[in-house]
PDB file of all heavy atoms in Angstrom:
ATOM      1  N   GLN A 273      99.539  87.677 -47.650  1.00 98.00           N
ATOM      2  CA  GLN A 273      98.245  87.006 -47.571  1.00 98.00           C
ATOM      3  C   GLN A 273      97.977  86.229 -48.873  1.00 98.00           C
ATOM      4  O   GLN A 273      98.249  86.725 -49.972  1.00 98.00           O
ATOM      5  CB  GLN A 273      97.135  88.036 -47.366  1.00 98.00           C
ATOM      6  CG  GLN A 273      95.750  87.432 -47.215  1.00 98.00           C
ATOM      7  CD  GLN A 273      94.677  88.512 -47.105  1.00 98.00           C
ATOM      8  OE1 GLN A 273      94.843  89.624 -47.581  1.00 98.00           O
ATOM      9  NE2 GLN A 273      93.565  88.181 -46.462  1.00 98.00           N
ATOM     10  N   PRO A 274      97.431  85.023 -48.791  1.00 98.00           N
ATOM     11  CA  PRO A 274      97.077  84.270 -50.005  1.00 98.00           C
ATOM     12  C   PRO A 274      96.033  85.026 -50.826  1.00 98.00           C
ATOM     13  O   PRO A 274      95.098  85.627 -50.263  1.00 98.00           O
ATOM     14  CB  PRO A 274      96.509  82.960 -49.469  1.00 98.00           C
ATOM     15  CG  PRO A 274      97.088  82.826 -48.099  1.00 98.00           C
ATOM     16  CD  PRO A 274      97.196  84.225 -47.568  1.00 98.00           C
ATOM     17  N   ILE A 275      96.158  84.963 -52.135  1.00 98.00           N
ATOM     18  CA  ILE A 275      95.263  85.735 -52.981  1.00 98.00           C
ATOM     19  C   ILE A 275      93.803  85.319 -52.835  1.00 98.00           C
ATOM     20  O   ILE A 275      92.903  86.161 -52.916  1.00 98.00           O
ATOM     21  CB  ILE A 275      95.711  85.667 -54.458  1.00 98.00           C
ATOM     22  CG1 ILE A 275      94.830  86.594 -55.301  1.00 98.00           C
ATOM     23  CG2 ILE A 275      95.728  84.238 -54.972  1.00 98.00           C
ATOM     24  CD1 ILE A 275      95.288  86.763 -56.720  1.00 98.00           C
ATOM     25  N   LYS A 276      93.540  84.041 -52.592  1.00 98.00           N
ATOM     26  CA  LYS A 276      92.147  83.630 -52.431  1.00 98.00           C
ATOM     27  C   LYS A 276      91.511  84.330 -51.236  1.00 98.00           C
ATOM     28  O   LYS A 276      90.387  84.847 -51.333  1.00 98.00           O
ATOM     29  CB  LYS A 276      92.040  82.114 -52.274  1.00 98.00           C
ATOM     30  CG  LYS A 276      90.602  81.646 -52.091  1.00 98.00           C
ATOM     31  CD  LYS A 276      90.498  80.139 -51.922  1.00 98.00           C
ATOM     32  CE  LYS A 276      89.077  79.727 -51.607  1.00 98.00           C
ATOM     33  NZ  LYS A 276      88.924  78.278 -51.421  1.00 98.00           N
ATOM     34  N   ASN A 277      92.192  84.366 -50.116  1.00 98.00           N
ATOM     35  CA  ASN A 277      91.673  85.052 -48.932  1.00 98.00           C
ATOM     36  C   ASN A 277      91.478  86.539 -49.196  1.00 98.00           C
ATOM     37  O   ASN A 277      90.519  87.160 -48.724  1.00 98.00           O
ATOM     38  CB  ASN A 277      92.630  84.849 -47.753  1.00 98.00           C
ATOM     39  CG  ASN A 277      92.811  83.388 -47.407  1.00 98.00           C
ATOM     40  OD1 ASN A 277      93.412  82.638 -48.174  1.00 98.00           O
ATOM     41  ND2 ASN A 277      92.320  82.955 -46.264  1.00 98.00           N
ATOM     42  N   PHE A 278      92.406  87.114 -49.949  1.00 98.00           N
ATOM     43  CA  PHE A 278      92.347  88.534 -50.300  1.00 98.00           C
ATOM     44  C   PHE A 278      91.072  88.838 -51.090  1.00 98.00           C
ATOM     45  O   PHE A 278      90.356  89.799 -50.799  1.00 98.00           O
ATOM     46  CB  PHE A 278      93.590  88.878 -51.109  1.00 98.00           C
ATOM     47  CG  PHE A 278      93.718  90.316 -51.530  1.00 98.00           C
ATOM     48  CD1 PHE A 278      93.919  91.318 -50.603  1.00 98.00           C
ATOM     49  CD2 PHE A 278      93.673  90.658 -52.880  1.00 98.00           C
ATOM     50  CE1 PHE A 278      94.074  92.641 -51.000  1.00 98.00           C
ATOM     51  CE2 PHE A 278      93.827  91.974 -53.289  1.00 98.00           C
ATOM     52  CZ  PHE A 278      94.023  92.959 -52.351  1.00 98.00           C
ATOM     53  N   LEU A 279      90.771  88.023 -52.082  1.00 98.00           N
ATOM     54  CA  LEU A 279      89.589  88.257 -52.910  1.00 98.00           C
ATOM     55  C   LEU A 279      88.287  88.011 -52.150  1.00 98.00           C
ATOM     56  O   LEU A 279      87.255  88.603 -52.467  1.00 98.00           O
ATOM     57  CB  LEU A 279      89.622  87.360 -54.149  1.00 98.00           C
ATOM     58  CG  LEU A 279      90.703  87.661 -55.180  1.00 98.00           C
ATOM     59  CD1 LEU A 279      90.641  86.639 -56.310  1.00 98.00           C
ATOM     60  CD2 LEU A 279      90.569  89.070 -55.739  1.00 98.00           C
ATOM     61  N   MET A 280      88.343  87.141 -51.145  1.00 98.00           N
ATOM     62  CA  MET A 280      87.145  86.840 -50.363  1.00 98.00           C
ATOM     63  C   MET A 280      86.876  87.857 -49.261  1.00 98.00           C
ATOM     64  O   MET A 280      85.812  87.812 -48.630  1.00 98.00           O
ATOM     65  CB  MET A 280      87.265  85.441 -49.749  1.00 98.00           C
ATOM     66  CG  MET A 280      87.175  84.318 -50.751  1.00 98.00           C
ATOM     67  SD  MET A 280      87.473  82.685 -50.010  1.00 98.00           S
ATOM     68  CE  MET A 280      86.185  82.614 -48.769  1.00 98.00           C
ATOM     69  N   ASP A 281      87.796  88.775 -49.034  1.00 98.00           N
ATOM     70  CA  ASP A 281      87.628  89.807 -48.015  1.00 98.00           C
ATOM     71  C   ASP A 281      86.712  90.895 -48.575  1.00 98.00           C
ATOM     72  O   ASP A 281      87.059  91.560 -49.552  1.00 98.00           O
ATOM     73  CB  ASP A 281      88.992  90.392 -47.639  1.00 98.00           C
ATOM     74  CG  ASP A 281      88.914  91.385 -46.488  1.00 98.00           C
ATOM     75  OD1 ASP A 281      87.799  91.842 -46.158  1.00 98.00           O
ATOM     76  OD2 ASP A 281      89.971  91.709 -45.933  1.00 98.00           O
ATOM     77  N   SER A 282      85.549  91.097 -47.976  1.00 97.00           N
ATOM     78  CA  SER A 282      84.590  92.068 -48.497  1.00 97.00           C
ATOM     79  C   SER A 282      85.103  93.501 -48.437  1.00 97.00           C
ATOM     80  O   SER A 282      84.575  94.385 -49.122  1.00 97.00           O
ATOM     81  CB  SER A 282      83.261  91.972 -47.738  1.00 97.00           C
ATOM     82  OG  SER A 282      83.441  92.292 -46.363  1.00 97.00           O
ATOM     83  N   LYS A 283      86.144  93.749 -47.633  1.00 97.00           N
ATOM     84  CA  LYS A 283      86.734  95.087 -47.604  1.00 97.00           C
ATOM     85  C   LYS A 283      87.654  95.311 -48.808  1.00 97.00           C
ATOM     86  O   LYS A 283      87.998  96.445 -49.132  1.00 97.00           O
ATOM     87  CB  LYS A 283      87.514  95.300 -46.299  1.00 97.00           C
ATOM     88  CG  LYS A 283      86.624  95.316 -45.064  1.00 97.00           C
ATOM     89  CD  LYS A 283      87.437  95.520 -43.798  1.00 97.00           C
ATOM     90  CE  LYS A 283      86.540  95.506 -42.561  1.00 97.00           C
ATOM     91  NZ  LYS A 283      87.329  95.658 -41.303  1.00 97.00           N
ATOM     92  N   THR A 284      88.067  94.221 -49.447  1.00 98.00           N
ATOM     93  CA  THR A 284      88.871  94.316 -50.664  1.00 98.00           C
ATOM     94  C   THR A 284      87.976  94.475 -51.870  1.00 98.00           C
ATOM     95  O   THR A 284      88.162  95.367 -52.705  1.00 98.00           O
ATOM     96  CB  THR A 284      89.746  93.061 -50.837  1.00 98.00           C
ATOM     97  OG1 THR A 284      90.631  92.948 -49.733  1.00 98.00           O
ATOM     98  CG2 THR A 284      90.550  93.131 -52.133  1.00 98.00           C
ATOM     99  N   VAL A 285      87.000  93.579 -51.996  1.00 98.00           N
ATOM    100  CA  VAL A 285      86.054  93.597 -53.109  1.00 98.00           C
ATOM    101  C   VAL A 285      84.753  93.000 -52.613  1.00 98.00           C
ATOM    102  O   VAL A 285      84.751  92.038 -51.848  1.00 98.00           O
ATOM    103  CB  VAL A 285      86.620  92.839 -54.328  1.00 98.00           C
ATOM    104  CG1 VAL A 285      87.034  91.429 -53.959  1.00 98.00           C
ATOM    105  CG2 VAL A 285      85.624  92.803 -55.468  1.00 98.00           C
ATOM    106  N   ALA A 286      83.640  93.575 -53.022  1.00 98.00           N
ATOM    107  CA  ALA A 286      82.339  93.168 -52.499  1.00 98.00           C
ATOM    108  C   ALA A 286      81.750  92.016 -53.308  1.00 98.00           C
ATOM    109  O   ALA A 286      81.727  92.071 -54.541  1.00 98.00           O
ATOM    110  CB  ALA A 286      81.375  94.354 -52.519  1.00 98.00           C
ATOM    111  N   GLY A 287      81.305  90.972 -52.614  1.00 97.00           N
ATOM    112  CA  GLY A 287      80.463  89.972 -53.241  1.00 97.00           C
ATOM    113  C   GLY A 287      81.110  88.669 -53.634  1.00 97.00           C
ATOM    114  O   GLY A 287      80.422  87.751 -54.091  1.00 97.00           O
ATOM    115  N   ILE A 288      82.431  88.541 -53.514  1.00 98.00           N
ATOM    116  CA  ILE A 288      83.111  87.321 -53.931  1.00 98.00           C
ATOM    117  C   ILE A 288      83.328  86.422 -52.723  1.00 98.00           C
ATOM    118  O   ILE A 288      83.923  86.835 -51.726  1.00 98.00           O
ATOM    119  CB  ILE A 288      84.460  87.633 -54.603  1.00 98.00           C
ATOM    120  CG1 ILE A 288      84.228  88.449 -55.881  1.00 98.00           C
ATOM    121  CG2 ILE A 288      85.222  86.350 -54.928  1.00 98.00           C
ATOM    122  CD1 ILE A 288      85.513  88.868 -56.568  1.00 98.00           C
ATOM    123  N   GLY A 289      82.856  85.178 -52.829  1.00 97.00           N
ATOM    124  CA  GLY A 289      83.062  84.198 -51.769  1.00 97.00           C
ATOM    125  C   GLY A 289      83.899  83.047 -52.268  1.00 97.00           C
ATOM    126  O   GLY A 289      84.612  83.148 -53.274  1.00 97.00           O
ATOM    127  N   ASN A 290      83.796  81.923 -51.590  1.00 97.00           N
ATOM    128  CA  ASN A 290      84.644  80.781 -51.874  1.00 97.00           C
ATOM    129  C   ASN A 290      84.479  80.242 -53.301  1.00 97.00           C
ATOM    130  O   ASN A 290      85.457  79.952 -54.000  1.00 97.00           O
ATOM    131  CB  ASN A 290      84.339  79.668 -50.865  1.00 97.00           C
ATOM    132  CG  ASN A 290      85.211  78.447 -51.054  1.00 97.00           C
ATOM    133  OD1 ASN A 290      86.420  78.500 -50.910  1.00 97.00           O
ATOM    134  ND2 ASN A 290      84.585  77.330 -51.390  1.00 97.00           N
ATOM    135  N   ILE A 291      83.223  80.125 -53.740  1.00 96.00           N
ATOM    136  CA  ILE A 291      82.963  79.534 -55.054  1.00 96.00           C
ATOM    137  C   ILE A 291      83.620  80.344 -56.160  1.00 96.00           C
ATOM    138  O   ILE A 291      84.378  79.818 -56.983  1.00 96.00           O
ATOM    139  CB  ILE A 291      81.443  79.439 -55.305  1.00 96.00           C
ATOM    140  CG1 ILE A 291      80.785  78.472 -54.324  1.00 96.00           C
ATOM    141  CG2 ILE A 291      81.167  79.015 -56.748  1.00 96.00           C
ATOM    142  CD1 ILE A 291      79.267  78.525 -54.347  1.00 96.00           C
ATOM    143  N   TYR A 292      83.354  81.642 -56.177  1.00 98.00           N
ATOM    144  CA  TYR A 292      83.822  82.449 -57.300  1.00 98.00           C
ATOM    145  C   TYR A 292      85.283  82.845 -57.174  1.00 98.00           C
ATOM    146  O   TYR A 292      85.946  83.075 -58.199  1.00 98.00           O
ATOM    147  CB  TYR A 292      82.892  83.643 -57.502  1.00 98.00           C
ATOM    148  CG  TYR A 292      81.560  83.169 -58.020  1.00 98.00           C
ATOM    149  CD1 TYR A 292      80.444  83.130 -57.188  1.00 98.00           C
ATOM    150  CD2 TYR A 292      81.436  82.681 -59.307  1.00 98.00           C
ATOM    151  CE1 TYR A 292      79.237  82.651 -57.644  1.00 98.00           C
ATOM    152  CE2 TYR A 292      80.233  82.197 -59.780  1.00 98.00           C
ATOM    153  CZ  TYR A 292      79.132  82.181 -58.944  1.00 98.00           C
ATOM    154  OH  TYR A 292      77.943  81.675 -59.395  1.00 98.00           O
ATOM    155  N   ALA A 293      85.813  82.905 -55.965  1.00 98.00           N
ATOM    156  CA  ALA A 293      87.253  83.100 -55.831  1.00 98.00           C
ATOM    157  C   ALA A 293      87.993  81.933 -56.487  1.00 98.00           C
ATOM    158  O   ALA A 293      88.974  82.125 -57.220  1.00 98.00           O
ATOM    159  CB  ALA A 293      87.640  83.236 -54.360  1.00 98.00           C
ATOM    160  N   ASN A 294      87.514  80.711 -56.246  1.00 98.00           N
ATOM    161  CA  ASN A 294      88.123  79.535 -56.877  1.00 98.00           C
ATOM    162  C   ASN A 294      88.021  79.603 -58.394  1.00 98.00           C
ATOM    163  O   ASN A 294      88.991  79.329 -59.114  1.00 98.00           O
ATOM    164  CB  ASN A 294      87.442  78.257 -56.377  1.00 98.00           C
ATOM    165  CG  ASN A 294      87.851  77.882 -54.970  1.00 98.00           C
ATOM    166  OD1 ASN A 294      88.941  78.228 -54.528  1.00 98.00           O
ATOM    167  ND2 ASN A 294      86.981  77.193 -54.263  1.00 98.00           N
ATOM    168  N   GLU A 295      86.844  79.942 -58.904  1.00 98.00           N
ATOM    169  CA  GLU A 295      86.632  79.995 -60.351  1.00 98.00           C
ATOM    170  C   GLU A 295      87.527  81.044 -61.008  1.00 98.00           C
ATOM    171  O   GLU A 295      88.144  80.806 -62.049  1.00 98.00           O
ATOM    172  CB  GLU A 295      85.161  80.302 -60.646  1.00 98.00           C
ATOM    173  CG  GLU A 295      84.211  79.190 -60.276  1.00 98.00           C
ATOM    174  CD  GLU A 295      84.376  77.978 -61.183  1.00 98.00           C
ATOM    175  OE1 GLU A 295      84.379  78.137 -62.408  1.00 98.00           O
ATOM    176  OE2 GLU A 295      84.534  76.872 -60.640  1.00 98.00           O
ATOM    177  N   ILE A 296      87.581  82.220 -60.399  1.00 98.00           N
ATOM    178  CA  ILE A 296      88.385  83.317 -60.955  1.00 98.00           C
ATOM    179  C   ILE A 296      89.855  82.921 -61.028  1.00 98.00           C
ATOM    180  O   ILE A 296      90.521  83.113 -62.058  1.00 98.00           O
ATOM    181  CB  ILE A 296      88.194  84.589 -60.098  1.00 98.00           C
ATOM    182  CG1 ILE A 296      86.774  85.142 -60.281  1.00 98.00           C
ATOM    183  CG2 ILE A 296      89.242  85.642 -60.452  1.00 98.00           C
ATOM    184  CD1 ILE A 296      86.348  86.087 -59.186  1.00 98.00           C
ATOM    185  N   LEU A 297      90.371  82.367 -59.955  1.00 98.00           N
ATOM    186  CA  LEU A 297      91.790  82.008 -59.923  1.00 98.00           C
ATOM    187  C   LEU A 297      92.093  80.847 -60.858  1.00 98.00           C
ATOM    188  O   LEU A 297      93.175  80.795 -61.458  1.00 98.00           O
ATOM    189  CB  LEU A 297      92.206  81.685 -58.486  1.00 98.00           C
ATOM    190  CG  LEU A 297      92.139  82.891 -57.536  1.00 98.00           C
ATOM    191  CD1 LEU A 297      92.412  82.453 -56.108  1.00 98.00           C
ATOM    192  CD2 LEU A 297      93.120  83.977 -57.953  1.00 98.00           C
ATOM    193  N   PHE A 298      91.155  79.929 -61.013  1.00 98.00           N
ATOM    194  CA  PHE A 298      91.350  78.838 -61.974  1.00 98.00           C
ATOM    195  C   PHE A 298      91.501  79.398 -63.387  1.00 98.00           C
ATOM    196  O   PHE A 298      92.433  79.048 -64.118  1.00 98.00           O
ATOM    197  CB  PHE A 298      90.186  77.860 -61.904  1.00 98.00           C
ATOM    198  CG  PHE A 298      90.253  76.788 -62.954  1.00 98.00           C
ATOM    199  CD1 PHE A 298      91.070  75.678 -62.782  1.00 98.00           C
ATOM    200  CD2 PHE A 298      89.513  76.890 -64.127  1.00 98.00           C
ATOM    201  CE1 PHE A 298      91.139  74.688 -63.755  1.00 98.00           C
ATOM    202  CE2 PHE A 298      89.583  75.903 -65.105  1.00 98.00           C
ATOM    203  CZ  PHE A 298      90.401  74.804 -64.917  1.00 98.00           C
ATOM    204  N   TYR A 299      90.587  80.272 -63.776  1.00 97.00           N
ATOM    205  CA  TYR A 299      90.630  80.819 -65.134  1.00 97.00           C
ATOM    206  C   TYR A 299      91.826  81.751 -65.335  1.00 97.00           C
ATOM    207  O   TYR A 299      92.319  81.900 -66.453  1.00 97.00           O
ATOM    208  CB  TYR A 299      89.325  81.531 -65.458  1.00 97.00           C
ATOM    209  CG  TYR A 299      88.222  80.572 -65.811  1.00 97.00           C
ATOM    210  CD1 TYR A 299      87.195  80.298 -64.914  1.00 97.00           C
ATOM    211  CD2 TYR A 299      88.210  79.902 -67.032  1.00 97.00           C
ATOM    212  CE1 TYR A 299      86.187  79.397 -65.231  1.00 97.00           C
ATOM    213  CE2 TYR A 299      87.215  78.998 -67.358  1.00 97.00           C
ATOM    214  CZ  TYR A 299      86.206  78.750 -66.457  1.00 97.00           C
ATOM    215  OH  TYR A 299      85.219  77.848 -66.766  1.00 97.00           O
ATOM    216  N   ALA A 300      92.294  82.371 -64.255  1.00 97.00           N
ATOM    217  CA  ALA A 300      93.473  83.232 -64.357  1.00 97.00           C
ATOM    218  C   ALA A 300      94.770  82.441 -64.284  1.00 97.00           C
ATOM    219  O   ALA A 300      95.848  82.996 -64.535  1.00 97.00           O
ATOM    220  CB  ALA A 300      93.446  84.289 -63.244  1.00 97.00           C
ATOM    221  N   GLY A 301      94.687  81.149 -63.922  1.00 98.00           N
ATOM    222  CA  GLY A 301      95.884  80.320 -63.821  1.00 98.00           C
ATOM    223  C   GLY A 301      96.771  80.664 -62.647  1.00 98.00           C
ATOM    224  O   GLY A 301      97.998  80.608 -62.737  1.00 98.00           O
ATOM    225  N   ILE A 302      96.147  81.026 -61.513  1.00 98.00           N
ATOM    226  CA  ILE A 302      96.884  81.459 -60.325  1.00 98.00           C
ATOM    227  C   ILE A 302      96.577  80.512 -59.173  1.00 98.00           C
ATOM    228  O   ILE A 302      95.407  80.219 -58.893  1.00 98.00           O
ATOM    229  CB  ILE A 302      96.494  82.897 -59.923  1.00 98.00           C
ATOM    230  CG1 ILE A 302      96.783  83.868 -61.082  1.00 98.00           C
ATOM    231  CG2 ILE A 302      97.243  83.338 -58.670  1.00 98.00           C
ATOM    232  CD1 ILE A 302      96.202  85.246 -60.846  1.00 98.00           C
ATOM    233  N   GLN A 303      97.606  80.034 -58.501  1.00 98.00           N
ATOM    234  CA  GLN A 303      97.417  79.211 -57.310  1.00 98.00           C
ATOM    235  C   GLN A 303      96.737  80.035 -56.208  1.00 98.00           C
ATOM    236  O   GLN A 303      97.150  81.166 -55.935  1.00 98.00           O
ATOM    237  CB  GLN A 303      98.763  78.702 -56.800  1.00 98.00           C
ATOM    238  CG  GLN A 303      99.374  77.607 -57.654  1.00 98.00           C
ATOM    239  CD  GLN A 303      98.701  76.257 -57.431  1.00 98.00           C
ATOM    240  OE1 GLN A 303      97.879  76.102 -56.531  1.00 98.00           O
ATOM    241  NE2 GLN A 303      99.051  75.279 -58.268  1.00 98.00           N
ATOM    242  N   PRO A 304      95.705  79.497 -55.553  1.00 98.00           N
ATOM    243  CA  PRO A 304      95.004  80.248 -54.505  1.00 98.00           C
ATOM    244  C   PRO A 304      95.891  80.674 -53.339  1.00 98.00           C
ATOM    245  O   PRO A 304      95.562  81.634 -52.633  1.00 98.00           O
ATOM    246  CB  PRO A 304      93.924  79.275 -54.040  1.00 98.00           C
ATOM    247  CG  PRO A 304      93.709  78.362 -55.200  1.00 98.00           C
ATOM    248  CD  PRO A 304      95.053  78.204 -55.840  1.00 98.00           C
ATOM    249  N   THR A 305      97.011  79.967 -53.126  1.00 98.00           N
ATOM    250  CA  THR A 305      97.896  80.288 -51.994  1.00 98.00           C
ATOM    251  C   THR A 305      98.972  81.307 -52.352  1.00 98.00           C
ATOM    252  O   THR A 305      99.785  81.659 -51.502  1.00 98.00           O
ATOM    253  CB  THR A 305      98.579  79.011 -51.494  1.00 98.00           C
ATOM    254  OG1 THR A 305      99.246  78.372 -52.591  1.00 98.00           O
ATOM    255  CG2 THR A 305      97.568  78.049 -50.891  1.00 98.00           C
ATOM    256  N   THR A 306      98.976  81.821 -53.574  1.00 98.00           N
ATOM    257  CA  THR A 306     100.006  82.771 -53.998  1.00 98.00           C
ATOM    258  C   THR A 306      99.963  84.033 -53.140  1.00 98.00           C
ATOM    259  O   THR A 306      98.900  84.644 -52.986  1.00 98.00           O
ATOM    260  CB  THR A 306      99.809  83.156 -55.470  1.00 98.00           C
ATOM    261  OG1 THR A 306      99.815  81.979 -56.271  1.00 98.00           O
ATOM    262  CG2 THR A 306     100.906  84.101 -55.945  1.00 98.00           C
ATOM    263  N   PRO A 307     101.098  84.469 -52.572  1.00 98.00           N
ATOM    264  CA  PRO A 307     101.110  85.694 -51.765  1.00 98.00           C
ATOM    265  C   PRO A 307     100.801  86.914 -52.631  1.00 98.00           C
ATOM    266  O   PRO A 307     101.364  87.082 -53.718  1.00 98.00           O
ATOM    267  CB  PRO A 307     102.545  85.760 -51.222  1.00 98.00           C
ATOM    268  CG  PRO A 307     103.077  84.367 -51.366  1.00 98.00           C
ATOM    269  CD  PRO A 307     102.405  83.789 -52.564  1.00 98.00           C
ATOM    270  N   ILE A 308      99.914  87.758 -52.148  1.00 98.00           N
ATOM    271  CA  ILE A 308      99.481  88.897 -52.960  1.00 98.00           C
ATOM    272  C   ILE A 308     100.603  89.899 -53.218  1.00 98.00           C
ATOM    273  O   ILE A 308     100.620  90.565 -54.256  1.00 98.00           O
ATOM    274  CB  ILE A 308      98.275  89.607 -52.308  1.00 98.00           C
ATOM    275  CG1 ILE A 308      98.579  90.025 -50.862  1.00 98.00           C
ATOM    276  CG2 ILE A 308      97.045  88.718 -52.373  1.00 98.00           C
ATOM    277  CD1 ILE A 308      97.445  90.786 -50.195  1.00 98.00           C
TER     278      ILE A 308
END
């Protein structure tokens, strides 16, 4: 599964949606499509 989708899944972590998943991965230097 792409890491962005993983972080946006509320069963994985609560409260992160599209905006902050993008921000987090940008600052971490990780492509959103990277397989978890």
Side-chain angles (χ1 to χ4, degrees):
Q273 182 184 26
I275 185 172
K276 179 181 174 181
N277 300 69
F278 182 67
L279 292 177
M280 290 175 59
D281 185 345
S282 63
K283 294 180 181 178
T284 299
V285 54
I288 297 177
N290 182 63
I291 295 169
Y292 290 105
N294 285 333
E295 292 291 310
I296 290 161
L297 294 173
F298 174 80
Y299 282 105
I302 301 170
Q303 287 284 352
T305 54
T306 303
I308 55 177

